[in-house]
Each structure stands twice: as structure tokens, then as C-alpha cells.
Amino acid sequence: MTQIGSVRNETRHAALGLTDEKVVRMYEIMVLARKFDERAQLLQRAGKVNFHISGVNQEPAQVAMAFAMDKEKDWFLPYYRDYAFVLSAGMTVKELMLSLFAKGEDPNSAGRQMPGHFGCKRLRIVTGSSPVTTQVPHAVGFALAAKMRGEPSVSLVSFGEGSSNQGDFHEGCNFAGVMKLPVIFVCQNNGYAISVPFSKQSAGRISDRALGYGFPGYRVDGYDPFEVYRVFKEAHERALAGEGPTLVEVMTYRVSPHSTSDNDMAYRTKEEVDFHRGKDAIPAFRQYLEEHGLWSEEREKALLADIRKEIDEATEYGERAPFQPVQDAFRYVYAEASAEEVR
Ligand SMILES: Cc1ncc(C[n+]2csc(CCOP(=O)(O)OP(=O)(O)O)c2C)c(N)n1
Ligand SMILES: [Mg+2]
């Protein structure tokens, strides 16, 4: 892998091949994802939706990894905190709201899955299931199909560090290594698996496991989106060049409780959480843009107003939209049944 570490700070995005326009778009999506997440938490607290599982603090890294991928050709198998990733892939806030409100028009599952269970044919996002890590062997299968068909596409799969202790992770990595498949394994290490801290999950680095499967593994600072982008861009190039898989362990921290059903103060302190909130990479990214003449207070105000409007409209739309008709409950589960048979 080529190192770009010596490049001076002010030219970081250009040195990575990111245009001014792209780097500004990255920031806009980071903020959009954060605001969507905050609204989702509010809606759950207000009793309007049942459940939310937050991706706050993981957005900058998720945007960076998405921007390193090819949206037209690659396959995406995200996990439940990947809101910023799927927004970068092209999902709309309206679609996320339809999923949050579990409405029939939700492209992810027509409201049949819990929110955060992404799946969208249009965006090449492969539908996922609730048992964690089951998406890993699926991603390997997509990579195998791409290789067999000679298609230039890479599959990217996300999961948490707790989940990486499941057998599916090891089986997927082993097979992908043997077959040299174009797949990027992304472990978003946010320090906890519900109440279990990383120190009680694993005695080693997740990234080091790649060595045992015969491909490279990197640990990258999730608070440095440029570095995340660089590592993913190179992993993508390796995959397309037929050099096989890469494992990336993105170091981050889950600042929210595990889900809206969790009380995290039962197993960690407010001081610990506040310390990590203070490391938020979004303001730092804004500062970078301002220092390079790409952002201003006026643009920030305009962005926040646009996002507010978009989220307000999506919330209203999601709330008013109809649930899936009961006759559709068996669609995509069994062969199409007639309305009479359902009755
Ligand atoms: C096979 C399986 N076991 C347990 C669960 C319940 N569960 C859902 S999320 C989760 C924690 C996962 O932690 P991690 O992989 O670190 O991801 P994070 O939620 O921290 O992003 C658990 C145990 C599940 N969904 N599937
Ligand atoms: Mg975790």
C-alpha cells in the first residue's frame, strides 16, 4: 500500500484524489446522518416509533468508507448502525423515515424488519437479517459471484467487533482468503457489544486476525475520515486487481446506549461517554473545510436549514404513510398467495 502520511495537512483531500465538491458532500452527509439520528431518538422518546439503534459518532468513518466505493458496481452489506453509509450510497431520509415508522412504502423491508435492517435493490444494498454477522458469508458469496462472472465489483460488509467473534466471520474470512475474493470486511470497533467492553470480548486486535487468513488487516482511526478513505480506497484497488480481501478495523466509540431499549449507565460512566463525545470528528471536518475556503458560517446555516426541512418533511411523510396491507404479509416469504387464501 502506498503511504500518503507525509502529505501536508492542507492538501489531504486533493492528495487522496477527492475533489473539493466531493469533500464538501462528505461533510453534508455526515451532518445529515447525525441530524436524522437525533430526530429518530426524539421520535422514539416521544412514543411515535418503537425502536431506534443509533450510529452517532460512527458517521464520519462510514461516509469515508462509502466514498471510497463504486456506487454503480459494488455490493453493500451494511449493519444496523450504518445510516451514514446508506445515505452516502443514495438512500434518502424519506426512505429511512418510512423504515423507522415501519410503513409499507419502506424500500428496505416494507416495514417488516426493525429499522436499521437495510436492503435496497436500487442501491445494491443486500438485505440483512437480525442474527449478527450472518451478512459476512453473504458478502463473500457476492464476491465469489462477481469473480466467477468476471464482473469488476467489490463487496463491502460491515459488522461490530463483538459480532466478529461469531463463526460466520471466521468462515467468511477463511473462504474469501482461499479464493482471493474481492471483499472488504469492515469491523466497526465501537468499544462495546451491548454492555460488554472490548477488553472482555477479545484479547487481541481484530485486524490481526486477517494474517491467519492470508490477507492484510488494518486498524484505522475512525476519527480521521481521510485516513479511513485512504485505507478503503487501497483495499478497493487491491480487490479489483485480483489481490483478494482486506480486513479493516475502524476504531470508534459508541456514544449512545446500545439501542433505545438499553440503559448504558448500568455499565459505564457519563464521564467516559462525555470524553468520547468530545472527540467528535464532525466539527473537526468542518474546521478543515473552513481552513481551505470550502465552508463558511453562511453555508453551515443554509445546510442546517435544508436538513431541518428535509427531515421535517420526511418525518411527516413517514408518520402519515399507510402500513403494509395485511394481504401483503406473505409477499417475498412464500409463493404469491391470493387474497382469498390469505383470508
Ligand atoms: C447471533 C446473535 N446473537 C446475539 C444478538 C443480539 N445482539 C444484537 S446486537 C448485539 C451486540 C453486537 O455488538 P457489536 O458487534 O460490537 O456491534 P455494536 O452493536 O456495538 O455496533 C447483540 C449481542 C444477535 N442479534 N444475533
Ligand atoms: Mg461494538
Side-chain angles (χ1 to χ4, degrees):
M1 287 206 172
T2 40
Q3 287 292 332
I4 311 180
S6 58
V7 168
R8 294 215 330 266
N9 231 18
E10 61 265 33
T11 58
R12 271 188 106 186
H13 69 281
L16 292 165
L18 283 166
T19 59
D20 290 353
E21 198 186 21
K22 267 200 175 163
V23 86
V24 164
R25 190 69 199 125
M26 286 171 75
Y27 175 67
E28 291 173 344
I29 298 176
M30 288 176 200
V31 179
L32 179 64
R34 176 68 53 90
K35 296 294 174 192
F36 164 78
D37 212 306
E38 288 171 0
R39 175 64 61 88
Q41 291 180 48
L42 213 63
L43 288 168
Q44 197 279 336
R45 284 295 177 258
K48 299 227 175 201
V49 301
N50 291 319
F51 183 76
H52 175 62
I53 188 152
S54 165
V56 164
N57 207 37
Q58 298 180 210
E59 311 98 324
Q62 292 171 357
V63 170
M65 65 196 213
F67 269 71
M69 305 298 287
D70 184 337
K71 285 196 277 183
E72 311 299 322
K73 299 198 178 79
D74 295 336
W75 292 102
F76 305 127
L77 294 93
Y79 92 129
Y80 46 81
R81 298 194 197 279
D82 270 326
Y83 295 101
F85 184 90
V86 298
L87 283 169
S88 305
M91 196 167 288
T92 65
V93 172
K94 188 171 145 185
E95 289 170 331
L96 288 180
M97 278 297 175
L98 285 162
S99 160
L100 191 65
F101 281 96
K103 296 301 176 71
E105 207 188 316
D106 161 33
N108 293 282
S109 72
R112 295 191 282 193
Q113 280 269 39
M114 292 203 296
H117 289 58
F118 306 112
C120 186
K121 204 170 181 181
R122 177 184 101 241
L123 303 173
R124 305 171 70 81
I125 297 173
V126 181
T127 188
S129 184
S130 291
V132 294
T133 339
T134 45
Q135 69 273 28
V136 173
H138 297 168
V140 173
F142 273 80
L144 177 64
K147 186 170 178 166
M148 289 170 73
R149 293 173 176 163
E151 288 169 1
S153 74
V154 177
S155 76
L156 177 148
V157 57
S158 261
F159 46 88
E161 82 295 339
S163 308
S164 73
N165 295 312
Q166 297 243 145
D168 305 64
F169 166 82
H170 299 277
E171 292 167 30
C173 285
N174 190 53
F175 189 74
V178 169
M179 304 294 284
K180 271 191 176 296
L181 298 178
V183 52
I184 305 175
F185 299 102
V186 189
C187 174
Q188 298 188 35
N189 186 341
N190 61 10
Y192 283 88
I194 309 189
S195 58
V196 182
F198 186 57
S199 60
K200 290 194 176 145
Q201 296 174 35
S202 174
R205 289 174 172 233
I206 307 298
S207 55
D208 287 348
R209 296 177 182 177
L211 190 66
Y213 297 116
F215 53 84
Y218 302 97
R219 184 177 256 199
V220 56
D221 179 3
Y223 293 98
D224 185 349
F226 290 120
E227 184 60 5
V228 173
Y229 178 85
R230 182 185 74 77
V231 169
F232 276 83
K233 194 82 189 155
E234 290 182 6
H236 192 263
E237 282 164 13
R238 289 190 66 250
L240 285 183
E243 292 168 26
T246 304
L247 169 63
V248 186
E249 181 184 12
V250 177
M251 300 306 290
T252 178
Y253 183 87
R254 197 199 75 210
V255 294
S256 63
H258 172 71
S259 73
T260 48
S261 308
D262 174 42
N263 170 19
D264 61 324
M265 291 297 105
Y267 54 83
R268 63 180 181 179
T269 64
K270 188 173 176 305
E271 288 69 35
E272 179 187 314
V273 178
D274 286 345
F275 170 76
H276 289 278
R277 275 191 197 280
K279 288 166 48 175
D280 188 2
I282 295 185
F285 207 82
R286 174 184 169 179
Q287 195 182 338
Y288 173 91
L289 294 181
E290 283 185 0
E291 280 168 11
H292 296 87
L294 298 171
W295 201 250
S296 62
E297 188 58 38
E298 293 72 54
R299 284 195 76 168
E300 181 76 11
K301 272 195 192 143
L303 174 70
L304 293 178
D306 286 350
I307 288 178
R308 176 77 196 242
K309 186 166 176 286
E310 188 179 353
I311 293 180
D312 281 352
E313 285 173 4
T315 304
E316 199 174 316
Y317 190 92
E319 196 172 4
R320 289 187 180 191
F323 289 106
Q324 189 184 43
V326 69
Q327 293 87 336
D328 285 356
F330 296 115
R331 285 194 81 191
Y332 314 121
V333 180
Y334 300 105
E336 292 288 298
S338 68
E340 266 171 27
E341 281 171 316
V342 174
R343 227 183 301 126

